[in-house]
């Protein structure tokens, strides 16, 4: 399977799995780095994941519409083929009818001409032979009447055939109109299919861009982690160096003079006074802090309930590990809620 097929097969649950893994990694890092430094990066990652989630949903919707369009297209194509077969069969039937009709017309015309010739001969005989008996004349009249009846019957048959041919032509015209309508509908569906295909390709490119951004954020995150480890290592080395420098052998000890000792005692006294003042200020600040915590707890409960009702799936996943993260210009962070 190629990378394009993998991207097209990406589902919403896969995005949620990515969010779960990334939130776990951020939870590990927040125990090592300062949270304030990571808040912008976390919000960017959540933005990218939510955009990726929307893109995947849009692709799934377009794929569904595409499959529906294909099904409808195949159905209309089958109907068009059936209509074409019916038209072809009707054309064959009409050709056969026209052939038989022309043959019958030629036969009937020859028969009519023959009857006319016989009728003329009979009339000539009647004119020439006035001494013909009345019975023979009546018999000739009966024959002529029978011939006229046959001729009228043949004419009615011809008229019926003409009406049948007109009906067949009308049905052919209706079928041609239906075929044209189906062709137009087929073209419209084809255009919609192409449009949906273009949208799917555009969404795929957007998804790739979001994945590239996510990869870049991961790289930045790893670089920050490496910097943190380097800083930690350098701090450990400095602490070891300072411990070595502070250690002095017993022979290198020095003694304070009386003036320096008095100065240190005075400084100690001043520091004690400052500490007492700071303790008083600290007690007042603690009281204010307790009042603030009470107000803050009520506000936090309201905000957390609102967040749980309004937040998306990805923010809820991050909330499981990191707390509440609001995405926007006013970034805020609550740990342990």
């Amino acid at each position: 399977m190629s990378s394009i097929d993998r991207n097209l097969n990406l589902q919403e649950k896969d995005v949620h799995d990515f969010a779960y893994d990334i939130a776990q990694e951020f939870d590990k890092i927040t125990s090592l780095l300062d949270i304030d430094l990571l808040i912008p990066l976390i919000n960017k990652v959540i933005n990218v994941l939510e955009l990726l989630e929307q893109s995947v949903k849009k692709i799934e919707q377009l794929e569904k519409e595409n499959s529906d369009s294909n099904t409808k297209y195949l159905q209309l194509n089958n109907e068009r083929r059936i209509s074409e077969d019916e038209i072809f069969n009707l054309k064959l039937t009409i050709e056969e009818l026209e052939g038989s009709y022309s043959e019958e017309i030629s036969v009937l015309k020859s028969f009519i001409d023959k009857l006319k010739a016989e009728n003329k001969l009979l009339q000539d005989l009647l004119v020439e032979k006035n001494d013909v008996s009345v019975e023979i004349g009546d018999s000739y009249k009966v024959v002529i009447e029978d011939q006229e009846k046959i001729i009228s019957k043949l004419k009615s048959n011809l008229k019926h055939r003409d009406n049948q041919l007109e009906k067949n032509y009308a049905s052919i015209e209706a079928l041609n109109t239906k075929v044209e309508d189906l062709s137009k509908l087929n073209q419209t569906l084809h255009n919609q299919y192409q449009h949906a295909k273009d949208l799917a390709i555009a969404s795929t490119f957007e998804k790739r861009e979001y994945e590239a951004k996510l990869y870049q954020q991961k790289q930045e995150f790893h670089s920050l982690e490496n910097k943190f480890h380097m800083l930690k290592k350098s701090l450990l080395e400095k602490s070891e160096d300072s411990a070595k420098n502070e250690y002095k052998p017993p022979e290198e000890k020095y003694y304070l003079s009386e003036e320096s000792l008095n100065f240190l005692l005075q400084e100690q006294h001043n520091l004690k006074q400052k500490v007492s003042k700071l303790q008083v200020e600290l007690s007042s600040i603690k009281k204010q802090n307790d009042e603030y915590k009470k107000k803050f707890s009520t506000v936090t409960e309201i905000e957390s309930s609102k967040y749980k009702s309004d937040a998306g799936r990805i923010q809820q996943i991050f909330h499981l590990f990191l707390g509440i993260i609001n995405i926007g210009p006013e970034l805020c962070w609550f740990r342990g809620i």
Side-chain angles (χ1 to χ4, degrees), residues 10-265:
L10 189 66
Q11 296 178 355
E12 188 178 356
K13 64 183 182 64
D14 298 328
V15 179
H16 295 160
D17 292 337
F18 294 157
Y20 186 84
D21 295 336
I22 293 168
Q24 279 185 329
E25 295 296 328
F26 272 120
D27 187 35
K28 293 176 184 177
I29 293 168
T30 50
S31 61
L32 302 175
L33 288 176
D34 187 9
I35 294 173
D36 294 331
L37 296 174
L38 294 174
I39 289 173
L41 179 61
I42 291 170
N43 283 281
K44 287 179 182 177
V45 170
I46 291 174
N47 271 326
V48 171
L49 288 171
E50 286 182 344
L51 290 172
L52 183 61
E53 183 184 18
Q54 292 174 4
S55 177
V56 169
K57 286 181 180 178
K58 191 174 182 181
I59 287 172
E60 289 177 355
Q61 183 182 0
L62 288 172
E63 285 178 351
K64 186 178 179 182
E65 291 177 357
N66 189 12
S67 63
D68 294 338
S69 299
N70 284 332
T71 305
K72 195 170 183 181
Y73 171 76
L74 292 173
Q75 183 180 358
L76 290 172
N77 198 11
N78 290 328
E79 290 179 0
R80 183 175 63 83
R81 289 177 182 174
I82 292 168
S83 300
E84 287 177 353
D85 293 335
E86 289 178 356
I87 290 169
F88 181 73
N89 293 327
L90 283 172
K91 284 182 178 179
L92 291 176
T93 306
I94 288 168
E95 288 177 357
E96 291 176 358
L97 287 172
E98 285 179 349
S100 61
Y101 175 72
S102 61
E103 289 177 359
E104 288 180 0
I105 286 175
S106 61
V107 171
L108 289 172
K109 281 183 178 179
S110 62
F111 187 66
I112 289 167
D113 293 335
K114 187 177 179 181
L115 289 174
K116 284 181 179 180
E118 290 178 356
N119 191 12
K120 189 175 181 182
L121 287 172
L122 288 172
Q123 286 178 358
D124 292 338
L125 287 171
L126 287 172
V127 171
E128 290 176 358
K129 296 180 179 181
N130 292 322
D131 57 348
V132 178
S133 64
V134 178
E135 293 179 357
I136 294 171
D138 292 335
S139 63
Y140 279 124
K141 286 181 179 179
V142 170
V143 171
I144 290 168
E145 288 176 357
D146 292 336
Q147 289 177 354
E148 287 178 352
K149 288 179 181 179
I150 292 169
I151 290 168
S152 63
K153 189 176 181 180
L154 290 172
K155 285 182 178 180
S156 64
N157 288 330
L158 288 173
K159 191 174 182 181
H160 179 69
R161 291 290 178 87
D162 287 334
N163 293 329
Q164 187 68 29
L165 285 173
E166 287 178 358
K167 288 180 181 179
N168 289 330
Y169 279 122
S171 63
I172 288 171
E173 290 294 330
L175 285 171
N176 286 327
T177 306
K178 189 176 180 181
V179 168
E180 289 177 358
D181 294 336
L182 287 173
S183 299
K184 291 178 181 178
L185 185 59
N186 187 11
Q187 185 65 32
T188 305
L189 287 172
H190 181 69
N191 293 331
Q192 290 179 358
Y193 170 73
Q194 290 293 333
H195 182 63
K197 193 174 180 181
D198 295 336
L199 286 175
I201 292 169
S203 299
T204 304
F205 284 126
E206 288 180 1
K207 186 179 72 174
R208 288 178 184 172
E209 290 178 358
Y210 295 147
E211 288 176 351
K213 289 180 181 178
L214 183 62
Y215 178 75
Q216 186 178 1
Q217 295 293 335
K218 283 184 178 179
Q219 292 293 328
E220 291 179 0
F221 167 71
H222 288 304
S223 65
L224 285 172
E225 192 175 9
N226 292 328
K227 287 180 181 179
F228 170 73
H229 288 302
M230 290 175 67
L231 287 171
K232 188 176 179 182
K233 189 176 179 181
S234 63
L235 287 173
L236 289 172
E237 290 176 355
K238 287 180 180 180
S239 63
E240 289 176 358
D241 293 337
S242 63
K244 289 179 181 179
N245 292 328
E246 286 177 359
Y247 175 74
K248 291 182 179 180
E251 60 271 10
E252 293 182 2
K253 289 183 179 179
Y254 59 91
Y255 297 93
L256 295 172
S257 63
E258 187 177 355
E259 292 179 358
S260 59
L261 185 60
N262 291 327
F263 177 74
L264 289 173
L265 290 172

Side-chain angles (χ1 to χ4, degrees), residues 283-297:
S283 62
S284 64
I285 289 169
K286 280 183 178 179
K287 290 180 181 178
Q288 293 177 0
N289 193 17
D290 292 334
E291 294 177 357
Y292 174 75
K293 280 183 178 179
K294 290 179 182 178
K295 293 180 181 179
F296 180 75
S297 62

